[in-house]
Amino acid sequence: MATPTRQPGQLGGLAMFCLVFLPFALGHYLSCLMRTVNAMLAPQLVAALGLTPGQLGLLTSAFFFAFAVVQLPVGMALDRWGPRRVQPVLLLVAALGALAFSGGRNFSELVWARAVIGFGLGGCFMSAVKAISTWIAPARLPSVHGYLIAVGGLGAASATLPVRLALHYTDWRGLFIGLGLAAAAIGLLIHLLSPAPPPTRGAPLTREAVLAVYRHPAFRETAALVLVPHTVFFGMQGLWIGRWLSDVARFSDAAVGYLLYLGMAAIIFGAIFVGMVTEWAGRRGVRPLTVAAAGIALFIAVQLGFVIGYAPSYQLLSVLFTLVGTITGIEYAIVAQSMPPALTGRAATCLNLLIFLGAFAVQAGFGQLVGCWQANLLHQYPAVAYRCGFAVLVALQLPGLLRFVWRQWRPRTPVRAGAAHGGKINLPSGSPAH
């Protein structure tokens, strides 16, 4: 069924919500749910297939690897054909991956199926942002972008207690059949409801265009500070925080589900709070990158609690990890504000590529490290394994923070054009993963 082409501004508020925001936001919701669902399913997957920590980490992180690989092709496809044509096809791929995962009989089959899911969901956030940017007035973008981030947080939260409740009526295989059907339904909804965008001529995402992003001082300065903590946040909160609560804190599956739910729900509040603090600091002349550095210092301090095994507050540590970790999403807003408008779209794509490749390495590598120790009869690994893992993560994040602090204290030099990050950020900060 052909959908008539409309121009931006021709849609009313209700039509905008029903035809643009809701269908694409549902895709982002599903992406965040399926990205983190293995944290809740880990005990069942380990019991059914006898997975080692290394295999569990590789299985779950395959999503991140495929998600990263697809970023550049999806970015080019969105510029050429628009989200209304691209996103339904990708969601159909995700549906096929979910159905394949539900029927997987061994580790290899599940890894490939999980990668197909990541491939299919790799464009959900970018498609939503592009559709919203096309049809919603610029003055309303900050608030609508914040709502989109909140929907992603709701999706991550739905991967905890709601999934645990669903497991009372089905197993993980039946759950993935339902998720596959949901992906296909959302793709059909976008195809039927979303208006055809006005014709545009997007700039090609050539090798030179990508290199221009990576060479830009603002991009490099931001990535040097925030990129590694962002990959740690994504790689850990989707799987290993839940395993730590089970293996080290020795909480029951019900308690783990509840704490994961609180942590994922904290994404919503964390994103809103980070946006408010950054805007407040900007009015007082504090650079957004300085706000990011303060947040990352606090994020590393939380991880040190895992390293030393701060037993009196295991519950608080698990929630604080996700709540404070939302500061890492500020790099999208910093890059968007600091770089020329012609580079912002491809910059987001390049940033996604680095973040999800890093999250893949963190999630898989942490599992390999924990697997160096021997599990007990309940498949639980010792606290020292997790302490060493978190110590390695802290060691990886400290150089970027110390480099930033050193650059602030050394004698000031003239700032090159395009490298300044001052001013006010209006976009609420969070993960696209979102």
Side-chain angles (χ1 to χ4, degrees):
M1 181 178 66
T3 302
T5 300
R6 299 180 176 90
Q7 296 298 320
Q10 293 181 352
L11 295 177
L14 181 60
M16 194 83 69
F17 175 80
C18 295
L19 303 183
V20 179
F21 179 82
L22 183 60
F24 287 100
L26 286 175
H28 181 48
Y29 169 91
L30 185 68
S31 175
C32 292
L33 191 161
M34 295 183 75
R35 188 185 78 209
T36 55
V37 70
N38 275 17
M40 200 70 245
L41 298 179
Q44 288 200 18
L45 294 174
V46 169
L49 301 171
L51 301 179
T52 67
Q55 289 176 321
L56 180 63
L58 182 60
L59 168 60
T60 306
S61 63
F63 179 98
F64 288 119
F65 183 79
F67 204 104
V69 168
V70 80
Q71 291 303 301
L72 296 182
V74 167
M76 290 187 287
L78 288 173
D79 283 340
R80 182 169 183 179
W81 293 296
R84 179 179 177 268
R85 297 177 63 183
V86 172
Q87 189 59 12
V89 175
L90 290 175
L91 284 171
L92 181 59
V93 173
L96 295 175
L99 294 177
F101 195 94
S102 71
R105 298 297 172 184
N106 55 56
F107 171 69
S108 298
E109 290 179 2
L110 292 182
V111 168
W112 281 107
R114 178 78 173 164
V116 172
I117 294 172
F119 186 95
L121 297 176
C124 285
F125 183 75
M126 286 192 295
S127 294
V129 169
K130 188 169 183 66
I132 288 170
S133 301
T134 299
W135 292 105
I136 293 180
R140 297 177 56 196
L141 280 178
S143 60
V144 176
H145 194 272
Y147 300 148
L148 180 64
I149 293 171
V151 170
L154 186 62
S158 298
T160 56
L161 283 184
V163 166
R164 178 171 173 78
L165 291 175
L167 292 176
H168 290 303
Y169 304 97
T170 184
D171 61 0
W172 62 272
R173 297 185 185 277
L175 179 67
F176 270 91
I177 291 175
L179 292 174
L181 294 176
I186 294 171
L188 181 62
L189 197 67
I190 291 174
H191 176 73
L192 295 177
L193 296 183
S194 177
T200 58
R201 294 184 62 184
L205 197 62
T206 62
R207 177 176 178 270
E208 291 72 19
V210 173
L211 289 178
V213 171
Y214 288 128
R215 290 169 178 165
H216 197 281
F219 186 93
R220 296 176 68 174
E221 185 181 5
T222 305
L225 173 66
V226 190
L227 179 62
V228 176
H230 203 161
T231 63
V232 169
F233 172 64
F234 266 19
M236 296 300 293
Q237 60 95 11
L239 176 65
W240 292 115
I241 295 298
R243 298 305 298 160
W244 177 84
L245 286 169
S246 175
D247 291 3
V248 178
R250 300 297 175 93
F251 287 122
S252 66
D253 288 347
V256 170
Y258 178 69
L259 289 170
L260 288 177
Y261 173 78
L262 290 180
M264 299 304 179
I267 294 175
I268 303 171
F269 301 102
I272 296 172
F273 179 75
V274 168
M276 292 172 59
V277 169
T278 306
E279 186 171 337
W280 174 85
R283 290 195 296 266
R284 286 153 180 80
V286 180
R287 295 194 309 160
L289 205 60
T290 303
V291 176
I296 288 168
L298 183 58
F299 185 48
I300 292 175
V302 171
Q303 294 171 65
L304 287 173
F306 290 89
V307 175
I308 66 175
Y310 188 62
S313 193
Y314 280 154
Q315 303 96 317
L316 182 62
L317 278 178
S318 67
V319 176
L320 281 179
F321 182 89
T322 306
L323 179 65
V324 179
T326 55
I327 185 67
T328 57
I330 197 175
E331 64 180 328
Y332 285 104
I334 294 175
V335 168
Q337 184 193 46
S338 305
M339 299 184 68
L343 293 178
T344 54
R346 69 192 73 167
T349 299
C350 293
L351 203 54
N352 269 347
L353 174 64
L354 293 177
I355 289 169
F356 284 98
L357 280 177
F360 162 77
V362 167
Q363 200 166 74
F366 194 90
Q368 295 291 339
L369 186 57
V370 170
C372 293
W373 278 263
Q374 185 70 35
N376 61 20
L377 295 178
L378 298 177
H379 303 287
Q380 294 171 328
Y381 284 79
V384 65
Y386 288 89
R387 289 182 182 180
C388 289
F390 276 103
V392 170
L393 295 181
V394 168
L396 291 174
Q397 296 167 82
L398 275 177
L401 179 62
L402 295 177
R403 175 183 177 274
F404 176 83
V405 173
W406 177 76
R407 285 169 64 91
Q408 301 311 300
W409 281 96
R410 71 176 181 175
R412 294 195 177 275
T413 56
V415 181
R416 286 180 290 176
H421 296 230
K424 168 178 152 182
I425 280 190
N426 292 321
L427 287 178
S429 301
S431 173
H434 357 244

